[in-house]
Amino acid sequence: MDTKLIVGIIVAVVIILAIIVTIVSIRRARHRHDVDGTGAAANIGQGASGGPDTADAAGSEPGPRLQPVSAEVLDPAAAVVDDLAKSGEHISSELQRPESSASRLLRLRSRLAKSANPFGKVLFNILTKDNLTESDWEDVEDTLLLADVGAEASSQLVDELRSDARVTGQKDPAEVRDLLRGKLLELVDIGQDRSLAASREHADKPSVIMMVGVNGTGKTTTAGKLARLFVAESKSVVMGAADTFRAAAADQLETWGNKVSVPVVRSDKDGADPASVAFEAAERAVHDDADVLIIDTAGRLQNKANLMDELGKIRRVAEKTVKVDEVLLVLDATTGQNGMAQAKVFAEAIGITGIVLSKMDGSAKGGIVISVQKELGVPVKLVGLGEGPDDLAPFDPDSFVDGILAQN
């Protein structure tokens, strides 16, 4: 081949490579300009069409890492969040708006109406028979006992029904239903004050609530749900993780708090003194001028005396800073009468002001409301309706009775 021709080809290849390198350099320079310039904020998280980055959603390789853009450029509100983060405040990326109390009450009635143990319906069906025999009355009492109403309350209700002319006389279903509704409301005791101290006018600030009960009843979960209920009422809340003997308890409480931006005071190590945690939580609640302080406690019942001494110490230490207004006993509604022994231990050892019945869903027997109040002498104030974060509602006697008498 001619030497001049070879040299010409080499020169041409070099020129072409130089042109390619120049084009690539220009494109890279333009890309850096787009990222660093004023258009960066508008392009973050968007593909060529201006929508969400489809390459990311499809799981393909991510593009070049974009340079950070100031909060003021992205969103004026983001600057506030950035300032709070720099000051050390915890900001949750998944803040939630809890459901209102009124909405929860509607669901309470609906859930009870669909319960697998609507003992009110069984009673209604028996009482509307043409002629009630002694066997029918025994069925009435058995139904009440099976529903965990308790022996004393069951006997009382049967005696009152047998002596009422509306049962022994005419059989108008509407009248019998009204009669039964009235008797059940009397047993539930519609006149009791079921309000939480924190929700009353001129409540202490912070209003302090201790959550007590054995492990497994849903105590820590209930504490988290109660915080959400107060947040729904526009109250500021602090929680104290004084169950320091169950490793996951503080983490669990913190998870609940993060969802609604409620701070949780906890110990850095497992097995720490729970009273010291309660004391620090009380100081934090006072410092933050919080409306409510919720203190979760341990529920180990292996040694009754030690547990009760511990609860007493928590209360005494917390009250060096604030007064404890409420001690709520959390009971698993599905355990029925089996949970009564546990309830009595707490009632005798530490002054409880109210009861929370957790897991009051389709598997619970509604009569536990009547028997636990009669046994302990304090009202049911809250009921847990299921596993959802807002499945905790104030207990309303009318909704409760109407729910168990509902005809599906």
Side-chain angles (χ1 to χ4, degrees):
M1 184 179 290
D2 187 85
T3 303
K4 291 183 179 180
L5 180 60
I6 294 174
V7 171
I9 292 173
I10 292 173
V11 170
V13 169
V14 169
I15 293 172
I16 292 171
L17 288 174
I19 293 172
I20 292 173
V21 170
T22 302
I23 292 173
V24 170
S25 298
I26 292 172
R27 286 183 176 178
R28 285 181 177 174
R30 286 179 178 174
H31 176 73
R32 283 195 299 271
H33 174 75
D34 288 343
V35 171
D36 295 335
T38 57
N43 293 329
I44 289 182
Q46 295 183 357
S49 62
D53 192 340
T54 52
D56 241 9
S60 57
E61 289 260 339
R65 184 181 296 275
L66 300 181
Q67 298 296 317
V69 183
S70 69
E72 290 81 5
V73 174
L74 289 172
D75 183 354
V80 177
V81 174
D82 188 51
D83 288 342
L84 287 172
K86 289 175 182 176
S87 69
E89 292 294 327
H90 176 76
I91 304 298
S92 171
S93 60
E94 301 178 10
L95 289 183
Q96 299 175 354
R97 184 181 296 277
E99 185 180 356
S100 68
S101 295
S103 174
R104 297 176 191 221
L105 284 173
L106 291 176
R107 287 199 296 117
L108 166 63
R109 187 176 305 199
S110 174
R111 289 280 180 90
L112 289 169
K114 296 174 182 177
S115 169
N117 295 283
F119 68 90
K121 298 175 191 175
V122 179
L123 295 179
F124 178 78
N125 291 336
I126 296 172
L127 295 176
T128 50
K129 286 184 177 180
D130 288 335
N131 294 295
L132 290 177
T133 64
E134 192 63 31
S135 177
D136 291 327
W137 286 115
E138 289 176 1
D139 287 343
V140 169
E141 189 161 6
D142 289 344
T143 299
L144 293 169
L145 291 171
L146 289 171
D148 279 332
V149 172
E152 185 181 346
S154 298
S155 178
Q156 175 188 334
L157 180 56
V158 169
D159 289 344
E160 290 179 1
L161 290 172
R162 293 189 74 158
S163 62
D164 197 294
R166 287 174 292 180
V167 175
T168 57
Q170 59 179 305
K171 297 299 176 191
D172 178 16
E175 189 167 355
V176 171
R177 185 188 182 283
D178 288 343
L179 164 69
L180 186 55
R181 183 180 188 277
K183 296 295 184 185
L184 290 172
L185 280 173
E186 287 177 14
L187 282 177
V188 175
D189 195 354
I190 194 171
Q192 292 195 72
D193 182 6
R194 300 176 189 277
S195 64
L196 294 170
S199 299
R200 297 171 193 157
E201 194 175 358
H202 308 303
D204 293 332
K205 190 173 183 179
S207 182
V208 183
I209 301 172
M210 276 183 64
M211 309 294 293
V212 301
V214 300
N215 289 338
T217 58
K219 177 171 47 61
T220 300
T221 296
T222 299
K225 291 182 178 182
L226 181 57
R228 293 178 65 92
L229 184 59
F230 283 125
V231 170
E233 296 175 356
S234 301
K235 294 185 182 298
S236 56
V237 184
V238 171
M239 291 194 285
D243 183 356
T244 59
F245 294 94
R246 189 165 62 89
D251 292 338
Q252 186 180 354
L253 204 64
E254 201 161 41
T255 298
W256 281 102
N258 287 346
K259 296 296 184 182
V260 285
S261 195
V262 168
V264 175
V265 177
R266 58 178 295 177
S267 173
D268 293 333
K269 59 180 181 179
D270 295 336
D273 181 14
S276 67
V277 176
F279 181 77
E280 290 178 15
E283 288 195 321
R284 171 68 183 267
V286 171
H287 177 270
D288 290 359
D289 196 26
D291 296 310
V292 185
L293 168 61
I294 300 172
I295 302 174
D296 185 31
T297 65
R300 300 159 300 123
L301 206 58
Q302 291 87 344
N303 188 319
K304 181 175 70 174
N306 285 353
L307 173 59
M308 296 311 154
D309 288 346
E310 179 183 288
L311 293 176
K313 181 182 177 184
I314 290 172
R315 180 167 189 165
R316 288 192 306 274
V317 170
E319 287 190 328
K320 291 180 179 179
T321 305
V322 291
K323 180 170 75 81
V324 174
D325 301 284
E326 198 101 53
V327 179
L328 297 181
L329 173 64
V330 181
L331 289 177
D332 183 341
T334 62
T335 62
Q337 292 296 310
N338 293 330
M340 294 302 295
Q342 300 171 359
K344 289 178 183 177
V345 170
F346 286 93
E348 291 168 1
I350 186 168
I352 61 175
T353 60
I355 302 157
V356 183
L357 286 174
S358 65
K359 309 173 189 178
M360 189 74 182
D361 50 21
S363 59
K365 300 177 181 180
I368 189 65
V369 171
I370 296 169
S371 58
V372 73
Q373 290 185 154
K374 199 170 188 67
E375 196 71 42
L376 302 182
V378 294
V380 172
K381 294 193 173 186
L382 298 160
V383 287
L385 307 174
E387 300 299 325
D390 292 324
D391 283 345
L392 181 72
F395 179 76
D396 177 60
D398 289 279
S399 297
F400 171 74
V401 172
D402 287 341
I404 61 179
L405 288 175
Q407 300 292 319
N408 289 333

